[in-house]
Amino acid sequence: NETKIEIDKIHRPKRSKVLPNVLSKEEVKAILNAHSNIKHKMMLSMIYSCGLRCGELLALKPVHIDSKRNIVLLKNSKGKKDRIVPLSPKILEILREYFKLCKPTTYLFEGQTKGQPYNSRSLQQVLKQALAKSGIKKPATLHWLRHSYATHLLESGTDLRYIQEILGHN
């Protein structure tokens, strides 16, 4: 009398919906205000306030910012579908400041060389410095900012499906 396991009858526990590795709003605020350098502040702010992946941020071009409609257009990032994310008016204001000061050409955030995207390792250093300056001991990564954004939206009652859409999850 052998026991057969029927695959489709196996109940798999649903993964919990709570995102790990989340920073509090206070911690995020401290991180975003840690740098006086406007480019550094801007990059971290956009990752958090738009829920971007690191690569998405670095691939952004000035034309992807639609200031009339307050949105950012992300061209076929992971998952190969373009998506749009809301851009807060407050961030747009700082973005305009940044623009006047840094005059980016090809990419929104350029490295030492004009026309070349900012380096992702350098961006990780920017976050490391912000953590050090704000005295946050958590081993936070850039992706934590994206997670924190999603979690803070959830906590404020935003619909999960909508959040998944903004984050580009299918």
Side-chain angles (χ1 to χ4, degrees):
N1 188 1
E2 61 180 281
T3 315
K4 277 208 211 74
I5 293 179
E6 291 180 50
I7 296 298
D8 42 327
K9 293 223 167 61
I10 294 176
H11 174 74
R12 287 181 59 242
K14 280 213 177 8
R15 276 196 316 182
S16 93
K17 281 279 183 281
V18 181
L19 294 170
N21 309 344
V22 166
L23 297 152
S24 71
K25 286 186 180 163
E26 287 64 39
E27 288 170 325
V28 170
K29 200 173 275 176
I31 289 169
L32 301 186
N33 289 322
H35 285 287
S36 46
N37 176 317
I38 190 165
K39 185 193 282 184
H40 294 164
K41 190 196 256 334
M42 200 65 251
M43 290 191 293
L44 295 178
S45 297
M46 279 196 75
I47 285 188
Y48 171 73
S49 73
C50 300
L52 303 182
R53 298 178 179 99
C54 173
E56 291 173 338
L57 176 87
L58 300 178
L60 279 180
K61 298 183 169 164
V63 294
H64 295 149
I65 306 291
D66 183 338
S67 53
K68 301 255 182 314
R69 292 158 64 205
N70 273 29
I71 54 175
V72 180
L73 179 67
L74 298 169
K75 302 301 287 176
N76 66 33
S77 37
K78 226 167 117 181
K80 302 288 168 277
K81 283 197 297 275
D82 291 355
R83 72 181 205 272
I84 52 176
V85 296
L87 182 64
S88 93
K90 199 167 158 193
I91 295 290
L92 190 56
E93 245 172 77
I94 316 171
L95 204 48
R96 288 201 168 104
E97 267 317 284
Y98 161 74
F99 233 81
K100 278 183 217 139
L101 283 165
C102 301
K103 304 180 176 58
T105 53
T106 314
Y107 290 92
L108 189 54
F109 300 107
E110 298 177 331
Q112 303 297 312
T113 323
K114 272 261 178 240
Q116 289 301 307
Y118 200 85
N119 178 287
S120 66
R121 279 240 169 75
S122 309
L123 180 52
Q124 283 159 357
Q125 284 314 116
V126 168
L127 176 63
K128 274 220 165 66
Q129 290 155 4
L131 289 167
K133 283 183 188 173
S134 50
I136 295 169
K137 297 279 181 276
K138 294 178 179 173
T141 62
L142 292 162
H143 213 72
W144 279 41
L145 284 177
R146 179 172 144 92
H147 272 199
S148 302
Y149 162 77
T151 303
H152 298 160
L153 280 179
L154 260 184
E155 288 169 350
S156 65
T158 309
D159 180 64
L160 184 64
R161 292 294 315 147
Y162 175 68
I163 297 173
Q164 288 171 327
E165 212 169 289
I166 291 178
L167 292 177
H169 291 170
N170 2 15

